[in-house]
Amino acid sequence: MKMPLSALIGLVLTGLFLFVAIFAQFLAPYPIDSAVGGVWESPSSTYLLGTDTIGRDILSRLIYGAQVTIFVAAASSILAFSLGAILGFVAATKGGWVDQVLSRLVDLVMAIPSLIIALVVLSVLPLNLTVLILVMGVLDATRVFRLSRAVAVDITVMDYVEAARLRGEGGGWIIFREILPNALSPLVAEFGLRFIFAVLFISTLSFLGLGIQPPLTDWGGMVKENKDALVYGKSAALMPAMAIAALAISVNLVADWILSRTTSLKGGRGA
Amino acid sequence: MHPVLKLVAQRIALGLLLLLAVSAVIFLGVEALPGDTAQAILGQSATPQALANLREKMGLDQPAMVRYFHWLGGILTGDLGKALTNGQDIAQAIGQRLGNTLFLAACAGAISVPLAILLGLVAARYNGRWPDKLISGITLSTISLPEFVAAYFVIYLLTQLIPIFNPVAMVFPGMGFWEKLHAVALPVIVLVLVVLAHMMRMTRAAILNVMQSAYIETAELKGLSPMQVIWRHAFPNAIAPIVSVVVLNLAYLVVGVVVVEVVFGYNALGQFLVDHVAKRDLPVVQAVGVIFAGVYISLNILADVIAIVANPRLRHPR
């Protein structure tokens, strides 16, 4: 199967971002938190992307920011998927009151915009990485729950699930050995979309000053730190903004491709 | 009773129940988390005695359910309590800002809805050809940007490269309508960009869906021009899905407004909320949170009601 150009570009860029995030410590030319130059210096051969509000190298901070942004987004998406998919499968296989309670609970959380819930919760909880990942993961799990329940409901009526039940397999076997392998492809495509959503969400929270706290930094926080530069015509705030946009678009391209592949595999008409 | 009325009444009743449940989540959910208001005021180093005294003074020693119903009663009668940080009356502070938020959202809605429908119609008319591809390509790239990133691109473009606007949107009580409109131009452009893509894509999809019906073929065969086919035959039948996606996006607008207000330093409800989250002023956050959630849920109910009313199969039961 030939890969479309857009997916290839997306894949290469996503890989590049991951590489930068993993090896940030070796790639960054300057330390994350030391003022090495003047305030808002323009890009030069010493500071490839210029310097920020207090003279820190923007490229280095972007690289360290990639690590934090991608780590938090990935951790919260993984949490969202483990929690959402398992509860979704349980709701679909058990049915009855378990399904009712879980589904209504998810309806309730999804009826409130996630940003509003997150703000209310974060006004009480301490702001640290663990709390942020937990809050984002649990909020996002509701979306995964909806999808995985819908997918699993279709699978539970299949003959092979019935056969497994009649053999006397337990709930764990049915969920992990019968449903999970068959529900995997739509979930993988969804993972890409949830990951982007998590990147945008953590960036937005940090931009509002309620996400990653110093001395750590992420892209949303960098936009916030450098926003005044725009008024003076400096592009410092645009660099992290562009990084967020580039990551979001490249993961989107990959997810789109996986999505169209899985629908064509299933004989669906495709979008 | 007419079946449509019954459906609508059911939907509204369900919505009110949902609002009640949401208020419980916002109040009791926060109660369940570690730390409380007294702790927030006195800080981590407070002595247990001082904490207990303050809790008693604020009524925090009462069970959570009692305080919830007290709080709920307050909301229903317009008494939202006092802010922790400055003792200001919350209802009054919100009242001043809610108008600004609604003004911003209304401006964005008034521009984005007709524009999205028009672009959707054009894209459907030229389905698969260059105008469709151009419109779809541009909207696809704006859909994957968070509000604040879109905002800074717009600011850079319209205040630095082509300097026609001010990067800060200040609105004062005494300003005239046109002055206000000019002041909010930039935030409105950003909000329009953010919601336009989704609305336009759904309009296009709804029309293309209808275009496969037999009566469209009839209309084409009797010699109507493509735009006439869309306008006279496809659009009326696609109204229900279009209206519901429009209303859903207006609901989204109410949330997107939070971030955009912070970007432009626009003194309204969203900025107020974010400030008080940072100050850990729980009563204010809960009150504003309930208002945002309430507006969001009401618009969602409205979308459902419109979808029910616009469905001719329900309007004329057999």
Side-chain angles (χ1 to χ4, degrees):
Chain A
M1 159 129 198
K2 200 174 170 292
M3 200 179 199
L5 183 67
S6 60
L8 195 67
I9 297 174
L11 213 55
V12 168
L13 281 177
T14 310
L16 200 68
F17 275 116
L18 279 180
F19 177 80
V20 167
I22 293 168
F23 298 104
Q25 271 72 0
F26 306 102
L27 292 172
Y30 297 96
I32 180 171
D33 224 17
S34 59
V36 288
V39 172
W40 287 330
E41 276 185 37
S42 296
S44 63
S45 56
T46 353
Y47 312 113
L48 287 177
L49 294 177
T51 57
D52 75 353
T53 40
I54 54 172
R56 293 170 298 194
D57 180 46
I58 288 186
L59 179 64
S60 309
R61 284 179 70 76
L62 261 187
I63 291 173
Y64 281 107
Q67 192 169 42
V68 174
T69 306
I70 290 174
F71 169 71
V72 171
S76 71
S77 324
I78 290 170
L79 175 66
F81 263 77
S82 338
L83 196 67
I86 290 177
L87 288 181
F89 292 160
V90 167
T93 46
K94 291 263 189 231
W97 67 270
V98 177
D99 185 20
Q100 280 299 322
V101 169
L102 285 173
S103 297
R104 294 296 83 79
L105 207 64
V106 164
D107 285 349
L108 181 58
V109 176
M110 284 181 74
I112 319 174
S114 350
L115 183 65
I116 302 295
I117 304 193
L119 289 182
V120 170
V121 171
L122 289 177
S123 67
V124 187
L125 292 174
L127 288 176
N128 57 43
L129 281 185
T130 325
V131 167
L132 284 172
I133 291 171
L134 279 176
V135 169
M136 286 171 51
V138 170
L139 286 181
D140 225 19
T142 55
R143 269 83 182 162
V144 182
F145 174 87
R146 279 255 175 109
L147 176 76
S148 47
R149 183 183 169 279
V151 172
V153 161
D154 285 345
I155 298 175
T156 42
V157 293
M158 294 288 180
D159 289 341
Y160 52 82
V161 178
E162 177 93 34
R165 282 218 170 102
L166 292 175
R167 282 207 299 275
E169 304 290 3
W173 175 285
I174 289 178
I175 287 175
F176 289 106
R177 303 298 289 271
E178 307 290 342
I179 295 180
L180 186 62
N182 291 295
L184 212 52
S185 52
L187 285 182
V188 168
E190 179 73 4
F191 186 83
L193 300 180
R194 294 324 329 163
F195 176 76
I196 303 170
F197 182 80
V199 168
L200 303 189
F201 201 56
I202 186 64
S203 306
T204 302
L205 283 178
S206 294
F207 172 74
L208 296 176
L210 304 165
I212 310 292
Q213 302 296 317
L216 284 179
T217 189
D218 76 326
W219 294 339
M222 286 181 68
V223 175
K224 175 190 164 72
E225 287 164 7
N226 294 303
K227 61 182 174 184
D228 297 331
L230 271 183
V231 182
Y232 304 107
K234 302 280 184 189
S235 56
L238 289 184
M239 302 295 173
M242 270 191 252
I244 295 170
L247 178 63
I249 290 171
S250 46
V251 178
N252 234 332
L253 290 175
V254 179
D256 264 2
W257 172 60
I258 298 178
L259 208 62
S260 64
R261 243 180 66 119
T262 51
T263 44
S264 65
L265 278 181
K266 285 198 165 155
R269 278 175 302 163
Chain B
M1 201 156 121
H2 197 278
V4 169
L5 272 182
K6 202 174 153 196
L7 268 177
V8 169
Q10 272 175 354
R11 190 65 195 82
I12 292 176
L14 202 65
L16 290 178
L17 201 67
L18 185 63
L19 269 177
L20 190 70
V22 163
S23 75
V25 167
I26 289 183
F27 191 86
L28 299 173
V30 170
E31 293 293 320
L33 298 171
D36 67 10
T37 320
Q39 188 94 52
I41 296 177
L42 295 175
Q44 292 294 332
S45 57
T47 61
Q49 184 58 43
L51 275 177
N53 287 343
L54 187 64
R55 281 195 187 119
E56 197 178 347
K57 203 175 124 205
M58 297 177 65
L60 285 174
D61 50 343
Q62 286 171 0
M65 280 317 272
V66 175
R67 279 180 293 127
Y68 169 63
F69 284 110
H70 185 74
W71 179 72
L72 193 64
I75 289 184
L76 294 177
T77 53
D79 171 24
L80 298 173
K82 298 223 181 314
L84 293 181
T85 35
N86 53 10
Q88 211 187 357
D89 188 55
I90 299 176
Q92 208 184 348
I94 287 178
Q96 293 165 355
R97 292 171 173 90
L98 186 61
N100 284 349
T101 292
L102 293 179
F103 178 71
L104 187 61
C107 287
I111 295 174
S112 59
V113 172
L115 194 61
I117 292 178
L118 188 73
L119 287 176
L121 289 179
V122 171
R125 159 73 180 81
Y126 295 101
N127 179 27
R129 284 189 269 159
W130 70 265
D132 178 31
K133 285 192 172 142
L134 183 72
I135 295 174
S136 300
I138 293 174
T139 49
L140 199 63
S141 53
T142 58
I143 222 168
S144 46
L145 292 184
E147 294 88 357
F148 72 95
V149 171
Y152 283 110
F153 287 146
V154 170
I155 291 180
Y156 191 66
L157 189 69
L158 292 184
T159 65
Q160 299 301 325
L161 298 184
I162 318 166
I164 43 177
F165 288 113
N166 266 332
V168 179
M170 296 283 246
V171 181
F172 308 104
M175 264 168 129
F177 182 74
W178 290 108
E179 266 183 294
K180 252 188 176 175
L181 218 52
H182 184 253
V184 298
L186 272 185
V188 166
I189 291 174
V190 172
L191 283 174
V192 167
L193 270 184
V194 170
V195 289
L196 188 66
H198 193 222
M199 276 199 273
M200 174 260 146
R201 287 165 70 87
M202 291 302 286
T203 307
R204 176 178 171 273
I207 300 240
L208 287 180
N209 194 23
V210 174
M211 292 297 269
Q212 287 164 357
S213 321
Y215 56 80
I216 297 294
E217 206 175 343
T218 312
E220 278 168 0
L221 289 177
K222 78 183 183 195
L224 291 184
S225 75
M227 215 56 213
Q228 261 180 319
V229 172
I230 290 182
W231 187 245
R232 298 269 297 277
H233 296 271
F235 187 62
N237 287 293
I239 278 189
I242 293 176
V243 167
S244 59
V245 80
V246 161
V247 179
L248 288 181
N249 273 282
L250 292 185
Y252 179 76
L253 204 59
V254 173
V255 184
V257 126
V258 173
V259 178
V260 171
E261 280 173 14
V262 174
V263 171
F264 291 96
Y266 182 76
N267 182 21
L269 212 51
Q271 168 115 45
F272 187 63
L273 173 63
V274 172
D275 280 351
H276 284 81
V277 173
K279 289 179 193 157
R280 313 208 145 227
D281 193 333
L282 197 53
V284 176
V285 173
Q286 283 173 332
V288 181
V290 164
I291 290 178
F292 271 116
V295 174
Y296 186 79
I297 291 170
S298 314
L299 283 170
N300 273 296
I301 296 171
L302 186 67
D304 283 0
V305 169
I306 289 172
I308 293 171
V309 174
N311 188 339
R313 287 183 201 87
L314 293 172
R315 224 166 28 210
H316 304 289
R318 266 182 279 186

